[in-house]
């Protein structure tokens, strides 16, 4: 699979939020999209997953997505963990995982996948019968990730996993993404404001500012680039 954005523009009414954004995510990559508050990160993910109309082109494995509705994009393998996680607080952990598999008709696949992800997230197994609303922030983020994995995505997109989490918990979540990437071959597009921590785990990153892609590079290059960090990412 590849995700290719070419000259992606998104408007809210007459207000333009994204301006000709172009970039690609290749099979097996862990890519970060970095930018400060209001830069357009959430807008970009929502355009990819089918929640906002766009101009320009978004292709998934060469297939143009403009006429494909959100539910169909999920079936094609695009999973989107929204900002704020989007887990169902009135449902148990296990029920949330089931809800992540609504597009899967094979019941034994659902059982298999739950077992696999409970293996990866032992704390979710321990809390499988608890209401999601009673989990800690970090556990809720893990649940959001595991729930998204239940649809067997080819591309997992996550919007600001660090939101509301202590730095050590953010590290733990990013380490989980790295494991998913390295051990399970998952392709990742992770949106973050938390630049330094994210660049420790991602392979490559794009920087978005005021709706435009303003920089890109290998994480190892960007981590050393004080100019970019100062100019666009609010890092002192
Ligand atoms: N529903 C909306 N209606 C109008 N403008 C919006 C809406 N959502 C976001 N915006 C604007 O679009 C820009 C990008 O927002 P967003 O994608 O949420 O940024 P980020 O996720 O990087 O913080 C901001 O200027 C924001 O005010
Ligand atoms: Mg956002």
């Amino acid at each position: 699979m590849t995700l290719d954005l070419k000259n992606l523009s998104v408007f809210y009414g007459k207000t333009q939020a994204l301006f000709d954004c172009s970039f690609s995510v290749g099979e097996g990559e862990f890519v970060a999209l970095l930018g400060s508050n209001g830069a357009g990160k959430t807008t970009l993910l929502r355009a990819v997953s089918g929640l906002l109309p766009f101009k320009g082109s978004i292709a998934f494995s060469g297939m143009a997505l403009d006429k494909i509705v959100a539910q169909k994009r999920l079936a094609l393998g695009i999973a989107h963990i929204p900002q704020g996680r989007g887990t169902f607080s009135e449902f148990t952990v296990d029920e949330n995982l089931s809800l992540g598999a609504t597009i899967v008709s094979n019941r034994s696949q659902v059982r298999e996948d739950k077992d696999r992800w409970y293996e990866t997230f032992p704390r979710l197994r321990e809390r499988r019968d608890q209401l999601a609303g009673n989990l800690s922030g970090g556990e809720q983020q893990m649940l959001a990730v595991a729930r998204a994995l239940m649809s067997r995505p080819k591309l997992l997109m996550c919007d600001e996993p660090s939101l509301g989490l202590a730095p050590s918990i953010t590290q733990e979540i990013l380490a989980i993404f790295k494991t998913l990437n390295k051990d399970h071959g998952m392709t990742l597009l992770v949106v973050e404001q938390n630049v330094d921590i994210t660049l420790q785990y991602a392979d490559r990153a794009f920087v978005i500012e005021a709706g435009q892609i303003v920089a890109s590079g290998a994480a190892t290059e960007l981590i050393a680039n004080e100019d970019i960090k100062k100019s666009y990412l609010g890092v002192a």
Side-chain angles (χ1 to χ4, degrees):
M1 78 102 242
T2 52
L3 176 72
D4 292 296
L5 311 185
K6 286 209 185 79
N7 299 320
L8 177 70
S9 293
V10 172
F11 296 80
Y12 291 106
K14 286 184 180 144
T15 310
Q16 189 164 1
L18 295 183
F19 299 81
D20 290 320
C21 294
S22 299
F23 70 82
S24 298
V25 180
E27 175 88 38
E29 278 198 296
F30 181 170
V31 173
L33 177 65
L34 304 172
S36 51
N37 201 22
K41 305 179 299 298
T42 295
T43 301
L44 190 143
L45 288 198
R46 290 172 64 86
V48 172
S49 64
L51 303 174
L52 285 172
F54 59 86
K55 295 206 162 78
S57 76
I58 305 177
F60 187 66
S61 298
M63 185 191 286
L65 294 184
D66 54 330
K67 294 188 180 65
I68 298 180
V69 298
Q71 187 67 9
K72 188 85 189 298
R73 292 187 208 186
L74 179 65
L76 286 173
I78 300 173
H80 177 186
I81 304 167
Q83 189 172 322
R85 332 213 197 280
T87 49
F88 298 103
S89 52
E90 302 304 313
F91 289 87
T92 65
V93 165
D94 200 72
E95 286 164 346
N96 268 278
L97 293 188
S98 299
L99 288 164
T102 47
I103 63 164
V104 180
S105 51
N106 180 339
R107 292 296 94 190
S108 65
Q109 177 183 319
V110 175
R111 273 194 303 275
E112 237 172 73
D113 286 2
K114 278 186 183 175
D115 280 345
R116 173 182 313 136
W117 302 126
Y118 280 138
E119 208 64 43
T120 308
F121 301 96
R123 272 190 280 166
L124 295 183
R125 192 200 294 279
E126 287 164 26
R127 289 161 177 69
R128 61 187 293 163
D129 297 319
Q130 289 188 25
L131 296 183
N134 293 339
L135 302 181
S136 70
E139 289 161 356
Q140 285 186 28
Q141 187 61 61
M142 286 175 200
L143 177 58
V145 173
R147 188 184 66 154
L149 291 167
M150 291 299 293
S151 67
R152 291 205 179 172
K154 297 189 175 84
L155 170 67
L156 182 60
M157 304 192 298
C158 187
D159 196 345
E160 291 210 44
S162 74
L163 216 67
L165 302 182
S168 63
I169 309 294
T170 299
Q171 295 263 10
E172 200 179 331
I173 300 289
L174 286 163
I176 286 166
F177 283 131
K178 193 80 186 172
T179 302
L180 292 172
N181 177 246
K182 288 278 162 273
D183 299 351
H184 298 268
M186 187 60 58
T187 305
L188 294 164
L189 177 58
V190 174
V191 157
E192 262 302 338
Q193 293 193 44
N194 219 322
V195 175
D196 283 322
I197 295 185
T198 309
L199 289 176
Q200 288 168 29
Y201 294 91
D203 303 320
R204 219 151 60 82
F206 294 91
V207 178
I208 185 168
E209 171 62 23
Q212 300 186 57
I213 303 293
V214 292
S216 65
T220 47
E221 285 166 25
L222 290 173
I223 218 164
N225 192 325
E226 298 302 326
D227 284 348
I228 287 180
K229 289 201 280 186
K230 274 192 205 130
S231 308
Y232 304 118
L233 299 168
V235 178

